[in-house]
Amino acid sequence: MKTVFDKTTRDELITRIDTLNEQSAAKWGKMNVYQMIKHCRLWEEMISGELKCRRSFPGRLFGKMALKGFLKDDDPPGRNTPTAPELKVKEGSGDVVAEKKKWIAMIEENAHFSNPYFIHPFFGKMTKEQVGCLAYKHIDHHLRQFGC
């Protein structure tokens, strides 16, 4: 299974991110390209520990079971998968190029991941291996959303 902790995989993701621009349009969902890039950057802040997200009640009940199914293969998540409120981007526009640079820098920082106490808002406590695979799936999902 692919993981953001593998340099080859990170490089592949960064190459795909580099194809995004202000005119990139979503194939599904409500986010525009700026909102998606910022959402993904916030997600990277969450896994690094810079951004704290509250655990959801359904996640406390079903998160561990759902995680096993979610990580069983490389299949991307379904369309319109719910997200934590802290990761929703409300502003409709911004500097796509600057956000992209921040996001890419955070992806590169995964080479030095050091958050062994990461707790996902739905899935709960995760191992480093699980975080790496989930991070890849999350990025891949959104890049597919924008045809990258």
Side-chain angles (χ1 to χ4, degrees):
M1 193 166 316
K2 290 190 173 188
T3 173
V4 295
F5 301 137
D6 174 67
K7 180 169 178 20
T8 304
T9 301
R10 283 193 310 275
D11 291 345
E12 173 241 323
L13 290 171
I14 291 167
T15 299
R16 290 169 66 192
I17 291 167
D18 277 334
T19 66
L20 293 167
N21 61 53
E22 291 83 0
Q23 287 74 42
S24 298
K27 293 181 174 186
W28 74 83
K30 298 175 183 172
M31 289 191 284
N32 63 38
V33 69
Y34 169 77
Q35 290 169 320
M36 180 276 287
I37 293 169
K38 185 164 183 179
H39 161 78
C40 289
R41 183 184 57 78
L42 292 171
W43 205 92
E44 291 292 325
E45 287 182 9
M46 177 187 71
I47 67 168
S48 73
E50 293 175 45
L51 175 68
K52 301 294 182 204
C53 295
R54 290 182 28 182
R55 286 290 312 273
S56 71
F57 181 70
R60 290 179 189 276
L61 297 177
F62 307 111
K64 281 293 177 202
M65 288 186 300
L67 181 62
K68 287 180 185 181
F70 204 79
L71 294 180
K72 73 180 184 304
D73 54 35
D74 275 332
D75 290 346
R79 295 179 176 186
N80 302 311
T81 304
T83 191
E86 297 89 348
L87 303 178
K88 291 183 179 177
V89 179
K90 293 172 181 51
E91 66 267 17
S93 63
D95 188 339
V96 170
V97 174
E99 267 318 304
K100 231 169 63 166
K101 285 181 183 177
K102 291 177 192 174
W103 184 21
I104 289 170
M106 295 202 77
I107 289 171
E108 289 172 339
E109 281 301 310
N110 283 317
H112 311 289
F113 181 79
S114 62
N115 186 8
Y117 305 106
F118 173 67
I119 299 175
H120 187 275
F122 184 79
F123 297 123
K125 180 139 178 59
M126 297 173 63
T127 65
K128 179 179 179 179
E129 291 76 22
Q130 290 170 327
V131 171
C133 293
L134 182 63
Y136 170 79
K137 288 181 86 143
H138 180 258
I139 297 167
D140 178 60
H141 165 79
H142 285 294
L143 290 175
R144 287 173 188 250
Q145 179 184 13
F146 282 81
C148 299

